[in-house]
Amino acid sequence: MIGGVPGGRSTYGTCYGVLSWLIEEGTVDHVDVARLAVALVCRYNDDEPGSPWTIVLHVDEQGDERQRTALADVFLGHLGGERVGALPWVRKARHLIDIRVSPIELTPAGEGHALRIGNAARVRATTAVRTEQTVACVIPGYDRLGRELYADELTVDDDPFAWDLAGNCAFATDFEYVSERPR
């Protein structure tokens, strides 16, 4: 959403992407997930009825089994919460291909970040789009303003996904997901 105007259809009708989160602090049902990462490789087609997301969820190999399960439960929407419930692959139909344990590195680079998900994906988005308008995205919540970036590299080889793109958009911001599920 740029300048308060929501986006529309994907430029070419099909959206390919990689989303990632680095958790600075947090717990899930008393399981500490701080300093762990999650990544989602995804695709959807605007013209497919309901435009369901096809996804592979990667959970950080640095976590133990309890931590990885907790992360998968959050990012697949099993624990509820207003922000998580708004995520497109949670509120819409989805095809979950797999949950994979992977090394995930998300590091600052230029004005943005670099991401590596094992051998499955490499993303570099280092140059900010210059605009005076506010930029936001549904993924962290529209109240979280962020930076739109140009992707220098978006390379994926993560069965069934494979693409090599550059020059497309990227987005960076912070987030806060809180479950409303009774404890």
Side-chain angles (χ1 to χ4, degrees):
M1 182 166 61
I2 299 174
V5 178
R9 288 176 52 86
S10 304
T11 303
Y12 300 102
T14 300
C15 182
Y16 300 97
V18 178
L19 305 170
S20 62
W21 298 261
L22 179 59
I23 301 163
E24 292 177 1
E25 62 180 81
T27 59
V28 179
D29 287 336
H30 308 291
V31 175
D32 185 7
V33 293
R35 297 167 303 287
L36 296 176
V38 177
L40 185 94
V41 179
C42 58
R43 178 200 65 79
Y44 68 86
N45 185 312
D46 290 324
D47 295 326
E48 187 175 347
S51 62
W53 284 48
T54 300
I55 63 173
V56 172
L57 182 69
H58 292 266
V59 292
D60 199 329
E61 73 173 10
Q62 292 184 39
D64 62 28
E65 188 62 33
R66 288 181 62 220
Q67 291 170 311
R68 293 189 303 257
T69 297
L71 291 172
D73 284 347
V74 168
F75 287 90
L76 293 176
H78 298 157
L79 302 179
E82 181 182 344
R83 292 210 192 266
V84 172
L87 298 172
W89 62 92
V90 173
R91 67 178 162 78
K92 297 168 58 172
R94 71 167 174 241
H95 305 294
L96 174 62
I97 301 297
D98 200 4
I99 300 171
R100 298 179 180 157
V101 177
S102 302
I104 303 171
E105 300 171 43
L106 180 62
T107 55
E111 296 177 88
H113 296 85
L115 170 69
R116 179 177 286 277
I117 307 167
N119 293 323
R122 289 185 321 274
V123 180
R124 277 184 311 107
T126 61
T127 305
V129 173
R130 302 293 175 221
T131 181
E132 297 298 318
Q133 298 188 49
T134 59
V135 180
C137 179
V138 69
I139 305 302
Y142 282 132
D143 63 319
R144 299 279 188 179
L145 300 182
R147 287 183 318 283
E148 185 175 10
L149 303 154
Y150 294 107
D152 308 296
E153 174 186 32
L154 175 51
T155 301
V156 171
D157 185 7
D158 192 21
D159 188 37
F161 305 117
W163 59 78
D164 191 6
L165 304 171
N168 47 312
C169 69
F171 180 78
T173 192
D174 64 353
F175 70 97
E176 183 177 29
Y177 295 157
V178 179
S179 175
E180 296 169 7
R181 191 173 73 138
R183 301 274 181 236

